[in-house]
Amino acid sequence: MNRFALASLLVSLLSASAFAQAPSDTLPPPPASETPLPSVAVTFSPIHLVIPFVEVTAEIRVNPKIGVAVTAGAGVTHVNESTTNDKITLYEGGISPRYYLTGSFRQGVQLGAEMQYLHASADSMSTVSAAGLSIGPYVGYKWTAAIGLTLEAQAGVAIIAVKGSNDTTGQTDGEKRLYPLLNLNAGWSF
């Protein structure tokens, strides 16, 4: 082997060795499919603010295809009638397991079920309260941007059982009915 061929071989080996030991920050980022999935998505329902009522949902990733969401909400509104200005206090809490039929926790079609406990009470000369349980299936879609912005929509049908009471008269009444289930949420995943 001549000196020129030997020098070329050494230069090639040294440059290959230098490239193999390049710092990790100079290497390209992994493909998007290898980007780690968020662990939690925290969203709120802007539609509920009209009541006014604040509803927040935290979805926790169990695995790439399954999440469990916990919802909590509270609000106070006033009923203005000619004879009264009742303050109505509202509370809700619930749970919603979700399976991602397509995609994953980051983005995809969801199949899920929602169970919510609801409570409302009004104080005036008498105390009136109502409590209910809502249960129903839904189909939805969640989208998460690379920066974490999260949007989701869900539609389904639920049955609600409500029982109300008036402490002054001692009357109680109950009702069960079917109603549409619609959730539109925005928030952040991390």
Side-chain angles (χ1 to χ4, degrees), residues 129-131 161-166 169-176:
S129 65
V162 179
K163 185 175 183 180
S165 66
N166 183 326
T169 63
Q171 290 179 316
T172 61
D173 195 11
E175 181 182 350
K176 290 181 186 172

Side-chain angles (χ1 to χ4, degrees), residues 25-46:
D25 60 345
T26 62
L27 297 177
S33 61
E34 294 178 24
T35 303
L37 289 174
S39 298
V40 177
V42 177
T43 59
F44 79 101
S45 172

Side-chain angles (χ1 to χ4, degrees), residues 51-179:
I51 294 175
F53 187 85
V54 176
E55 180 186 82
V56 177
T57 301
E59 181 186 7
I60 301 159
R61 177 173 52 90
V62 175
N63 69 42
K65 296 290 242 179
I66 296 174
V68 176
V70 177
T71 302
V76 175
T77 190
H78 294 276
V79 178
N80 292 316
E81 295 180 4
S82 59
T83 59
T84 182
N85 188 15
D86 280 345
K87 178 176 84 170
I88 300 173
T89 306
L90 308 161
Y91 298 101
E92 100 176 331
I95 190 164
S96 174
R98 302 167 178 191
Y99 173 75
Y100 289 86
L101 187 62
T102 65
S104 66
F105 188 82
R106 179 184 312 285
Q107 176 175 322
V109 175
Q110 308 166 332
L111 293 179
E114 177 180 275
M115 182 171 70
Q116 298 279 348
Y117 171 77
L118 313 157
H119 180 82
S121 61
D123 290 325
S124 61
M125 298 193 57
S126 65
T127 300
V128 177
S129 65
L133 186 63
S134 166
I135 301 173
Y138 63 82
V139 63
Y141 189 82
K142 180 165 87 173
W143 173 83
T144 304
I147 61 170
L149 174 67
T150 302
L151 304 173
E152 66 181 0
Q154 298 152 345
V157 64
I159 186 165
I160 186 167
V162 179
K163 185 175 183 180
S165 66
N166 183 326
D167 291 347
T168 301
T169 63
Q171 290 179 316
T172 61
D173 195 11
E175 181 182 350
K176 290 181 186 172
R177 66 182 176 106
L178 207 57
Y179 73 99

Side-chain angles (χ1 to χ4, degrees), residues 4-15:
F4 179 76
L6 183 60
S8 295
L9 180 64
L10 286 173
V11 168
S12 296
L13 287 174
L14 288 173
S15 63

